Amino acid sequence: MHIHPRTIAFLALISLCIVGILTGYLFHAQEIETNELVAIVNGTEVFYKDIKVDPKIIQLTYAQELGARQLKKEIRKHEMRRLAGKIHEVISRQKIDELGLIVSEEEVDYRVEEIFQQANMTSEKAAVICESARAFREALEAWQKNPSMEDVIYNEKLVGSGVTKEQWKLYQICFDTPEKLKLFAAPNNIEDMKRNSRRSSRKDMFYKKLNDIITKNVSVRNEEIEEIYEKKYAHIAEKPPLDELLKETLRLELLIRKKHEAEKLWWQEQYRQARIEIKNPRSKDVLNILLK
């Protein structure tokens, strides 16, 4: 089966994200100590190392070189988002424990299979991804031994795979030491990929169960369906008939919207009730991000 090189690269990167290779490897060297206490969330400490980002990764997302002031601003913005996400994660874990939520191995299996089915992942496609991942690892190993040969290594091992130089640079930043490269667990086959995705799948299931509790009382009345129908088609002279299919479509649209709003309000209340102590004045704006 022929797969376009860019598709191979895309699938490989998606696969590596599923494996979780990049998680936690966005490092950068600043004067700030990585063990600096940034916040305490209901007794759980959050350190600077939990939210820091690498300025080289930020720079890669821009076509032009950022000035020192703009780069500093972008770093701070990304770190505030990561801090907001960390606070959300801490409260989520605490709520999951408080509610006594449990995820079975069968539920994890189901979620893993669901992910791979949605991606239309076959053994043949997985084999291409695994080959691409191995090529990436070999390229990184060669680069670590001969850093000055990065362009030659890229041309020999990655050209033709659809991997861009920007992606190559990103992986060099994330895996710049032999210790980090040891954690680059390139899968051998589709079963390896599934095993590697179990951790994230388990997390997905916990969050789903929590969201189900948050939105359990959300429902849509017939009057609301009729109201949204009138608003949606008010500008059309001949409205489509409000048959059962359209009713169900509108009901699902409204249900998703109402659930999203219920989740937002629930989380805002959790943030207000939580004991969130911001220990670093630079991070005080995170509360505004959370309560938006």
Side-chain angles (χ1 to χ4, degrees):
M1 180 183 76
H2 175 72
I3 302 179
H4 193 279
R6 290 189 178 278
T7 303
I8 294 174
F10 172 76
L11 291 173
L13 292 171
I14 290 297
S15 172
L16 296 179
C17 287
I18 291 174
V19 172
I21 291 173
L22 296 180
T23 304
Y25 294 100
L26 305 181
F27 295 90
H28 79 83
Q30 286 188 340
E31 310 81 43
I32 304 172
E33 292 295 330
T34 58
N35 62 351
E36 177 191 11
L37 183 62
V38 177
I40 303 177
V41 185
N42 290 334
T44 297
E45 296 177 329
V46 179
F47 296 95
Y48 182 67
K49 65 182 180 181
D50 300 317
I51 66 168
K52 63 181 180 177
V53 297
D54 192 320
K56 289 180 285 187
I57 291 178
I58 300 298
Q59 183 62 70
L60 278 175
T61 64
Y62 289 86
Q64 296 180 340
E65 188 77 19
L66 294 177
R69 180 179 296 181
Q70 183 63 25
L71 181 58
K72 183 177 180 180
K73 181 180 177 180
E74 289 299 314
I75 290 171
R76 183 175 179 277
K77 181 171 69 176
H78 281 76
E79 288 179 346
M80 286 303 94
R81 289 176 182 170
R82 286 175 64 82
L83 177 56
K86 191 66 180 178
I87 292 171
H88 182 93
E89 180 185 343
V90 169
I91 296 175
S92 293
R93 288 202 308 265
Q94 292 173 344
K95 285 295 175 182
I96 287 167
D97 290 342
E98 180 185 317
L99 292 167
L101 300 183
I102 297 172
V103 171
S104 68
E105 293 303 312
E106 290 75 15
E107 288 174 312
V108 176
D109 290 339
Y110 178 85
R111 176 56 183 162
V112 170
E113 292 301 325
E114 183 180 49
I115 291 171
F116 279 74
Q117 286 177 12
Q118 289 173 350
N120 193 25
M121 185 61 62
T122 64
S123 296
E124 189 173 7
K125 288 181 180 179
V128 175
I129 290 171
C130 294
E131 183 180 349
S132 180
R134 286 193 291 271
F136 235 128
R137 182 183 174 87
E138 290 172 4
L140 287 166
E141 288 175 342
W143 165 72
Q144 286 188 3
K145 293 175 182 176
N146 296 287
S148 63
M149 301 289 287
E150 61 177 294
D151 289 337
V152 174
I153 294 167
Y154 172 80
N155 291 331
E156 287 182 352
K157 297 184 179 293
L158 298 176
V159 166
S161 68
V163 175
T164 67
K165 282 199 172 182
E166 289 75 15
Q167 291 163 346
W168 171 229
K169 288 286 187 183
L170 173 61
Y171 275 76
Q172 286 175 289
I173 294 168
C174 293
F175 300 99
D176 58 353
T177 68
E179 291 71 28
K180 293 177 190 175
L181 191 55
K182 287 178 182 178
L183 298 173
F184 190 129
N188 294 314
N189 50 47
I190 193 169
E191 294 306 319
D192 264 0
M193 291 169 61
K194 288 180 179 181
R195 279 191 291 271
N196 290 335
S197 70
R198 291 185 67 80
R199 182 177 179 181
S200 62
S201 296
R202 187 181 302 276
K203 188 175 180 180
D204 288 346
M205 293 305 299
F206 271 119
Y207 285 159
K208 181 183 182 302
K209 290 193 174 189
L210 179 59
N211 285 336
D212 286 345
I213 290 174
I214 295 170
T215 62
K216 66 180 180 180
N217 294 322
V218 176
S219 61
V220 175
R221 303 189 312 275
N222 288 332
E223 293 82 357
E224 292 176 304
I225 295 175
E226 292 170 3
E227 183 180 346
I228 194 174
Y229 168 77
E230 293 297 334
K231 286 182 179 178
K232 188 167 186 175
Y233 298 103
H235 63 290
I236 299 177
E238 294 186 14
K239 298 184 180 73
L242 188 56
D243 56 19
E244 291 305 315
L245 179 59
L246 183 53
K247 279 184 179 180
E248 182 61 15
T249 301
L250 295 175
R251 188 190 72 80
L252 288 175
E253 287 179 6
L254 189 53
L255 185 63
I256 291 170
R257 190 188 310 167
K258 291 180 71 173
K259 282 189 174 185
H260 177 74
E261 184 62 24
E263 290 171 18
K264 179 181 177 180
L265 292 174
W266 189 88
W267 275 108
Q268 287 178 342
E269 185 62 23
Q270 302 313 305
Y271 298 141
R272 292 190 185 97
Q273 291 180 0
R275 300 187 309 278
I276 303 175
E277 303 174 55
I278 304 301
K279 294 298 185 180
N280 188 321
R282 295 186 304 274
S283 304
K284 64 181 185 301
D285 291 344
V286 72
L287 297 177
N288 295 329
I289 297 174
L290 290 169
L291 294 172
K292 274 185 179 179

